[in-house]
Amino acid sequence: MTDLLIDLLPLLMFVTLMGLVFTSYPIGFALGGTAILFGFIGMALDVFSFREFFVFVPRVWSIAENLQIIAVPLFVFMGVMLERSRIAQDLLEALQMLLRPVPGGMALAVTLMGVIFAAITGVVGASVIMLTLIALPTMLKAGYRPSLALGTIAASSTLGILIPPSILIVFLSEMMQISFGYLFAAVLWPGLLLSGLYLLYIAGYSFLVKGAAPRLPPPQADRDRRAFWAVLARGILPPAVLIFLVMGSVLSGLATITESAAVGAGGALLLAWLRGNLGPGKLRESLHRSTMTVGMIFVLFIGATSFAFVFRILGGDEVINLLIDAADLGAWGILILVIALIFLMGFFFDVLEIMLIAIPIFGPIVAPLDFGPHIAQGDVLYWFAVLVAITLQTSFLTPPMGLSLFYIKGVAPSSVTMRQIYVGIVPFVILQMLCVAIVMAEPGLVTALPRWLFVG
């Protein structure tokens, strides 16, 4: 009986974590608490020693002393500072002017704005709140179908997960021990592919469904002619410069991820100052919000690191490998199963929670898989990381735990219902999984740019 209990400990540990998650208890504390609880249970069953608790400290400190991880608070601060300036409003106005004659032009402008802000900040929460506040009232006033407007805003905001400089990509590369620059390059084409799928869907829907996305009224020719270039310069030039400084410096190899993040944070401060939005009060508020966000992220990291360590000591890796071997799925079957499980986890967990739980478990399983001539063995981890990143976007949109849905509902006009939000996100979730399928079938989308930049 004791031997059976020892064998079941990893599964019981995972089930306990699931139960604590549904109590709405902070996930970082749930992860850490579960690790400590099962460490003591393991001590009682003589499969864990008290000394191994002290291993938590160097494992956690290895994260804190990693110079690359400094990029995370810098990117968070950059996103918060940009939210405080008027860059978003000016950018949306410029894109609307360019796309005014196109069916669904305002929704297309919001999508492009999501792409641009993803390439600047990589922070989803800030993007979805910002787009909801500045774009949703205008779209609804223009007569847009609420489900289309809401789905466009929710999906466009999640591009910050995929398009560099993404905080998620920084964490993925660190957890999987792969190159930051190579992964940044690997994820770029899939990110633009998903953006293109959004744009095609919005344009097609706007063209086929009459009245769903009315065109904007004709411009006031004289005023617009005088203001056109000024609006474009004010709205598009600053984000373009910041994208070039942040992403261009990494992809060109001129700067590390930490150095590019520092440049981005400094650029955001400079833009806020030039626009008169860098008073002591706003700076203090931005620092406070950044600190709270970074603190939450690292509490999650501490809890997840402790959980993963105890899970491994209790034989979790062996149990999962035995289950997969017994299923006899083959390389493709395992990959599809892992992606499906991550997708299903998105209904109940936040993106960071999924990553911190799933990557230590599934990463070592996928890494040695052989896909023959489909993709070289050395590229499998990068391919898997990109597939995970695309799939994780769905966790922001899928109920009941989709954070973007609650962000939108929290700041949207009272007339917006949760049903309208749910209806709006369904096509975009389907497009996200379609993108997963395309990248799975065409790994060259992942490997082409890194090889060109870093291998030659």
Side-chain angles (χ1 to χ4, degrees):
M1 184 66 181
T2 302
D3 290 341
L4 177 62
L5 182 58
I6 291 173
D7 291 339
L8 291 176
L9 272 182
L11 296 179
L12 292 173
M13 187 176 181
F14 195 77
V15 170
T16 301
L17 176 63
M18 298 299 105
L20 288 173
V21 166
F22 287 110
T23 65
S24 298
Y25 197 71
I27 186 67
F29 297 122
L31 285 162
T34 303
I36 293 171
L37 172 63
F38 276 82
F40 281 115
I41 294 174
M43 287 171 55
L45 296 173
D46 202 27
V47 291
F48 192 90
S49 67
F50 187 78
R51 288 179 304 172
E52 287 174 309
F53 279 123
F54 291 94
V55 179
F56 287 5
V57 176
R59 289 175 71 91
V60 169
W61 181 249
S62 68
I63 300 170
E65 69 175 355
N66 189 333
L67 295 178
Q68 305 286 359
I69 294 296
I70 295 174
V72 173
L74 289 170
F75 280 138
V76 170
F77 176 72
M78 181 172 67
V80 172
M81 285 305 304
L82 289 173
E83 185 187 354
R84 287 285 176 266
S85 67
R86 279 194 53 87
I87 290 177
Q89 291 90 332
D90 292 341
L91 177 59
L92 183 61
E93 183 182 354
L95 292 172
Q96 285 176 356
M97 288 183 66
L98 289 173
L99 296 169
R100 189 184 294 270
V102 181
M106 194 177 296
L108 295 173
V110 168
T111 304
L112 290 174
M113 187 172 170
V115 173
I116 293 170
F117 262 77
I120 297 175
T121 68
V123 181
V124 173
S127 296
V128 68
I129 292 173
M130 177 180 57
L131 285 176
T132 304
L133 288 173
I134 68 174
L136 183 60
T138 307
M139 296 174 80
L140 295 178
K141 185 178 179 180
Y144 269 66
R145 185 167 292 184
S147 58
L148 175 62
L150 293 162
T152 299
I153 290 171
S156 301
S157 305
T158 65
L159 292 170
I161 291 179
L162 195 56
I163 296 176
S166 163
I167 292 173
L168 175 79
I169 300 302
V170 175
F171 281 143
L172 272 177
S173 58
E174 174 61 26
M175 293 182 70
M176 300 175 76
Q177 294 298 295
I178 54 182
S179 165
F180 286 93
Y182 201 95
L183 185 56
F184 266 41
V187 83
L188 185 58
W189 289 133
L192 296 177
L193 168 65
L194 183 58
S195 308
L197 291 175
Y198 289 171
L199 293 170
L200 284 174
Y201 166 73
I202 292 168
Y205 186 87
S206 302
F207 179 77
L208 295 173
V209 182
K210 303 301 180 185
R215 300 188 188 196
L216 292 173
Q220 300 175 16
D222 293 339
R223 186 182 68 85
D224 282 2
R225 190 177 297 115
R226 289 193 303 268
F228 182 77
W229 291 109
V231 170
L232 288 186
R234 188 175 67 247
I236 294 179
L237 189 59
V241 171
L242 207 52
I243 291 170
F244 174 78
L245 291 174
V246 174
M247 192 164 21
S249 60
V250 174
L251 295 180
S252 65
L254 295 175
T256 65
I257 182 66
T258 307
E259 291 166 345
S260 71
V263 169
L269 278 169
L270 178 61
L271 288 175
W273 176 73
L274 290 173
R275 291 165 181 265
N277 290 306
L278 195 61
K282 289 189 176 181
L283 181 58
R284 183 167 55 251
E285 183 184 354
S286 298
L287 288 169
H288 179 262
R289 284 191 58 191
S290 301
T291 304
M292 295 296 290
T293 302
V294 172
M296 178 271 294
I297 290 172
F298 279 95
V299 166
L300 275 172
F301 243 103
I302 292 169
T305 300
S306 305
F307 180 91
F309 175 72
V310 176
F311 186 78
R312 282 203 181 98
I313 294 295
L314 297 181
D317 290 354
E318 291 82 354
V319 170
I320 291 173
N321 285 324
L322 284 173
L323 292 173
I324 290 176
D325 290 341
D328 194 23
L329 297 174
W332 280 104
I334 292 171
L335 178 63
I336 293 171
L337 175 63
V338 167
I339 294 299
L341 289 174
I342 291 173
F343 173 72
L344 292 175
M345 290 174 73
F347 285 82
F348 308 105
F349 295 97
D350 172 60
V351 59
L352 270 176
E353 298 163 7
I354 299 171
M355 185 185 69
L356 293 170
I357 295 170
I359 294 302
I361 296 173
F362 296 137
I365 294 171
V366 174
L369 295 180
D370 183 7
F371 294 89
H374 190 70
I375 184 170
Q377 177 62 41
D379 292 324
V380 167
L381 265 184
Y382 291 97
W383 184 46
F384 175 61
V386 174
L387 292 172
V388 169
I390 302 171
T391 307
L392 285 176
Q393 287 188 97
T394 63
S395 68
F396 276 96
L397 303 183
T398 47
M401 296 294 290
L403 288 180
S404 288
L405 313 184
F406 296 110
Y407 287 145
I408 291 175
K409 180 59 179 172
V411 298
S414 57
S415 58
V416 171
T417 65
M418 284 304 296
R419 182 181 182 280
Q420 291 172 329
I421 298 175
Y422 289 153
V423 170
I425 58 95
V426 170
F428 293 96
V429 172
I430 294 172
L431 290 173
Q432 288 170 341
M433 297 314 295
L434 174 61
C435 185
V436 170
I438 293 172
V439 174
M440 197 176 285
E442 296 292 340
L445 290 166
V446 172
T447 59
L449 184 59
R451 285 177 179 170
W452 181 72
L453 288 173
F454 299 106
V455 179

